[in-house]
């Protein structure tokens, strides 16, 4: 009996100590006015406050942790949100986060020697939104934030990344009609004509957002304003973040107007102290366009201003290879015609054919190299296969046999004999320069 009483007494004492410990830890957090991350200060020493929050969480059961999410202290609430984000707790997360969408209390956050501020509602949504809500619940929260015209930064981010629906559009438009710039920008994604006059208001409210909004509506009517804006920034002596969005919009037009504006940025009328920032913005705007339209600008930015990365370098090499192939094909067409009428000039054609084949080897090797340097080892293999096949087709087969291998049909009603000649000529050209080298060096 005495043992039972002792055990009960000991258990009661332990519970009291744990309760007292939890309460003291909770009180320590409630008195704090800053949320400290695990490491704070210049040296990154461990935070005692963070350690206290961690210990408190370890002492609490699931229901107590959920209760901490609605504590009277914003610091306690944020620590609770921080530590429960990866825990599998059963709770009505939708209602918890819906309530926090109206929490505009400000909290200081310290990480190493960096101190910043954030609203409690923002911290909850940043920490728990993706991890605790279903897609349907996330949509409902987004809609609620817009309907309430929330002051949270999360609402602003959501407007910028907003998915499209009729409900979201109607709520966003009501907000935009109050003059909110982010809501107006969000409307641009819907590309509705009735919103164009609202988007025009962004010129005076936020030019950066205006440039972003215009990406969804590349209207020629904006060009006079854009050109005027370009004139206005050429003499500026400071870097402007909206300039990045401006040049992205100019690049998106993808026409002669784009090149006209870019030429202005390269001119000596731009302030020399910040011209490099103009060109950096242009590079970031056009490097993704790898269709050849901005090739000259990308090449100039790489060679004269050292703006480049691996993808751009590969793109430039491919363009240069393509530009080599076209004149090479034209050259071989001329050589083919010349050879057909001057076959007797064997010595001349032997020299020309060697040069022509060397050019072919260099172009093919360069093409392999820019694709993957290791592919260069395939070059001898290609040549060892190509030359024997060319010889076999063009020297061992009769004209009739060679013509039968050409499946292309002649569109003109020529006689059979002439059609065979045309197909043979086509086969010879298809195997140029191999045919040229082998035939010019043969004795026949």
């Amino acid at each position: 009996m005495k043992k039972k009483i002792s055990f009960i007494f000991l258990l009661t004492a332990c519970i009291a100590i744990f309760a007292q410990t939890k309460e003291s830890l909770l009180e320590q957090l409630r008195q704090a006015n800053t949320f400290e991350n695990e490491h704070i200060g210049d040296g990154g020493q461990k935070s005692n406050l963070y350690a206290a929050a961690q210990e408190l969480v370890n002492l609490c059961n699931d229901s107590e942790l959920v209760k901490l999410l609605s504590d009277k202290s914003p610091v306690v609430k944020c620590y609770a949100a921080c530590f429960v984000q990866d825990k599998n707790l059963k709770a009505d997360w939708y209602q918890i986060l819906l309530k926090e969408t109206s929490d505009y209390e400000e909290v200081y956050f310290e990480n190493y020697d960096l101190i910043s501020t954030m609203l409690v509602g923002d911290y909850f949504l940043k920490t728990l939104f993706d991890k605790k809500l279903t897609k349907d619940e996330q949509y409902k929260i987004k809609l609620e934030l817009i309907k309430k015209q929330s002051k949270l930064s999360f609402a602003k981010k959501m407007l910028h990344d907003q998915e499209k629906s009729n409900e979201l559009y109607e709520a966003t438009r009501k907000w935009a009609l109050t003059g909110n710039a982010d809501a107006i920008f969000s409307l641009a994604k819907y590309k509705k004509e009735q919103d164009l006059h609202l988007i025009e208001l962004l010129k005076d409210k936020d030019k950066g957002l205006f440039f972003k909004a215009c990406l969804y509506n590349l209207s020629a009517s904006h060009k006079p304003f854009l050109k005027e804006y370009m004139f206005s920034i050429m003499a500026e002596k400071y870097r402007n973040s909206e300039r990045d969005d401006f040049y992205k919009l100019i690049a998106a037009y993808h026409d002669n107007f784009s090149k006209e504006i870019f030429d202005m940025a390269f001119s000596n009328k731009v302030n020399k102290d910040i011209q490099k920032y103009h060109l950096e913005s242009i590079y970031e705007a056009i490097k993704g366009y790898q269709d050849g339209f901005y090739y000259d600008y990308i090449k100039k930015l790489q060679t004269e201003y050292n703006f480049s990365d691996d993808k751009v370098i590969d793109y430039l090499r491919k363009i240069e290879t393509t530009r080599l192939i076209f004149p090479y094909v034209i050259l071989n067409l001329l050589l083919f015609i010349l050879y057909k009428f001057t076959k007797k000039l064997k010595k001349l054609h032997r020299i020309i054919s060697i040069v022509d084949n060397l050019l072919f080897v260099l172009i093919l090797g360069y093409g392999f190299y820019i694709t993957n340097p290791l592919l260069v080892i395939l070059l001898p293999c290609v040549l060892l296969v190509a030359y024997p096949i060319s010889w076999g087709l063009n020297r061992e087969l009769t004209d009739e046999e060679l013509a039968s291998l050409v499946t292309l049909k002649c569109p003109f009603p020529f006689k059979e004999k002439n059609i065979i000649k045309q197909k043979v000529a086509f086969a010879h050209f298809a195997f140029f320069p191999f045919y040229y080298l082998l035939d010019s060096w043969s004795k026949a």
Side-chain angles (χ1 to χ4, degrees):
M1 186 67 178
K2 289 182 179 179
K3 289 183 178 180
K4 288 183 179 180
I5 294 172
S6 299
F7 175 76
I8 294 171
F9 178 78
L10 181 62
L11 180 63
T12 304
C14 289
I15 293 173
I17 291 171
F18 276 127
Q20 186 178 6
T21 302
K22 282 193 289 187
E23 191 59 38
S24 63
L25 290 170
L26 189 56
E27 193 58 33
Q28 181 182 348
L29 295 176
R30 283 173 177 166
Q31 290 177 1
N33 61 356
T34 302
F35 178 107
E36 295 179 357
N37 278 296
E38 189 172 3
H39 296 94
I40 58 173
D42 292 334
Q45 66 267 26
K46 289 188 176 181
S47 164
N48 292 330
L49 193 64
Y50 184 91
Q54 196 170 38
E55 186 180 353
L56 174 64
V57 168
N58 291 335
L59 292 174
C60 291
N61 57 37
D62 289 358
S63 61
E64 289 173 326
L65 282 177
V66 173
K67 189 176 179 181
L68 289 179
L69 292 168
S70 56
D71 194 83
K72 61 183 181 181
S73 164
V75 173
V76 172
K77 290 173 66 174
C78 289
Y79 270 120
C82 174
F83 284 106
V84 305
Q85 60 180 312
D86 295 321
K87 290 182 178 291
N88 188 22
L89 301 180
K90 290 184 179 180
D92 190 345
W93 294 108
Y94 172 73
Q95 289 298 329
I96 290 172
L97 291 182
L98 182 62
K99 178 184 175 184
E100 292 306 317
T101 58
S102 301
D103 194 336
Y104 299 141
E105 193 162 4
E106 194 173 66
V107 174
Y108 286 95
F109 286 80
E110 184 175 357
N111 185 32
Y112 289 91
D113 59 345
L114 179 66
I115 299 177
S116 58
T117 60
M118 188 182 296
L119 301 183
V120 174
D122 275 323
Y123 186 78
F124 264 68
L125 291 171
K126 175 187 173 183
T127 307
L128 304 175
F129 186 78
D130 292 327
K131 295 187 176 183
K132 301 298 185 184
L133 299 181
T134 65
K135 292 295 182 183
D136 184 56
E137 289 171 338
Q138 289 177 14
Y139 175 81
K140 290 179 181 177
I141 291 289
K142 290 176 182 179
L143 183 59
E144 191 64 29
L145 285 167
I146 295 178
K147 284 182 176 179
K148 292 196 300 187
Q149 299 182 12
S150 174
K151 299 175 184 177
L152 297 180
S153 296
F154 189 87
K156 177 180 178 179
K157 178 180 180 297
M158 184 207 62
L159 285 171
H160 283 245
D161 301 332
Q162 186 188 116
E163 57 199 79
K164 294 192 292 186
S165 76
N166 290 333
E167 284 181 309
L168 287 170
Y169 172 76
E170 293 301 329
T172 302
R173 195 166 199 279
K174 287 181 179 178
W175 199 356
L177 290 171
T178 67
N180 183 277
D182 298 296
I184 294 172
F185 163 73
S186 191
L187 287 182
K189 300 177 183 179
Y190 291 87
K191 301 179 182 180
K192 292 182 180 289
E193 190 173 346
Q194 65 178 351
D195 300 323
L196 294 180
H197 73 285
L198 289 172
I199 294 170
E200 288 292 323
L201 298 177
L202 288 176
K203 288 180 182 178
D204 298 322
K205 288 180 173 291
D206 189 324
K207 285 188 176 65
L209 280 182
F210 174 72
F211 299 142
K212 288 180 180 178
C214 288
L215 284 170
Y216 297 97
N217 178 27
L218 295 174
S219 172
S221 63
H222 297 314
K223 288 183 177 180
F225 170 77
L226 296 174
K227 193 171 184 178
E228 182 183 337
Y229 176 81
M230 183 63 198
F231 280 122
S232 71
I233 64 174
M234 289 174 72
E236 286 182 352
K237 297 181 179 180
Y238 57 91
R239 187 174 185 177
N240 194 328
S241 59
E242 72 189 26
R243 202 170 293 144
D244 294 340
D245 298 314
F246 169 71
Y247 284 120
K248 285 178 184 177
L249 174 59
I250 297 300
Y253 276 98
H254 204 264
D255 57 13
N256 289 332
F257 172 73
S258 305
K259 292 184 176 181
E260 180 186 355
I261 298 298
F262 291 155
D263 287 340
M264 293 167 69
F266 278 94
S267 73
N268 56 12
K269 294 182 179 179
V270 174
N271 186 288
K272 292 300 178 184
D273 293 333
I274 65 162
Q275 188 175 43
K276 63 180 180 180
Y277 299 123
H278 282 266
L279 301 184
E280 182 182 357
S281 297
I282 290 175
Y283 174 75
E284 291 297 325
I286 66 177
K287 69 177 183 179
Y289 292 87
Q290 299 194 352
D291 56 357
F293 187 76
Y294 292 125
Y295 168 79
D296 292 336
Y297 294 96
I298 295 176
K299 182 66 176 177
K300 187 174 183 179
L301 287 167
Q302 184 219 16
T303 56
E304 297 183 24
Y305 299 94
N306 297 319
F307 290 114
S308 65
D309 55 41
D310 290 342
K311 288 184 178 180
V312 167
I313 291 172
D314 288 343
Y315 159 69
L316 292 174
R317 285 174 175 169
K318 288 176 183 177
I319 290 291
E320 287 160 6
T321 304
T322 304
R323 291 189 172 189
L324 286 173
I325 291 173
F326 182 72
Y328 179 76
V329 171
I330 298 299
L331 172 65
N332 273 263
L333 178 61
L334 296 175
L335 285 175
F336 178 75
I337 296 171
L338 178 67
Y339 183 58
K340 283 295 182 181
F341 290 100
T342 59
K343 275 194 174 185
K344 292 182 179 180
L345 302 174
K346 285 282 187 180
K347 291 183 179 180
L348 174 65
H349 286 296
R350 285 172 180 174
I351 296 172
I352 296 175
S353 66
I354 291 173
V355 175
D356 187 38
N357 276 260
L358 286 174
L359 285 174
F360 174 80
V361 170
L362 288 172
I363 293 172
L364 182 62
Y366 184 66
F368 279 150
Y369 179 79
I370 64 171
T371 303
N372 189 323
L374 293 176
L375 292 179
V376 174
I377 62 176
L378 294 177
L379 185 59
C381 302
V382 172
L383 298 178
L384 285 172
V385 172
Y387 283 106
I389 290 177
S390 177
W391 176 266
L393 292 176
N394 292 289
R395 302 295 296 177
E396 300 296 328
L397 299 180
T398 64
D399 286 352
E400 289 76 11
E401 290 172 332
L402 183 56
S404 67
L405 297 177
V406 180
T407 58
L408 296 175
K409 293 183 178 180
C410 182
F412 305 105
F414 292 144
K415 293 180 180 180
E416 184 66 24
K417 185 178 180 180
N418 290 331
I419 290 176
I420 290 175
K421 286 182 178 180
Q422 298 299 324
K423 287 188 174 183
V424 169
F426 176 81
H428 288 167
F429 180 70
F431 282 93
F432 225 73
F434 313 123
Y435 162 75
Y436 185 31
L437 180 70
L438 296 171
D439 197 65
S440 62
W441 280 88
S442 68
K443 294 181 180 180

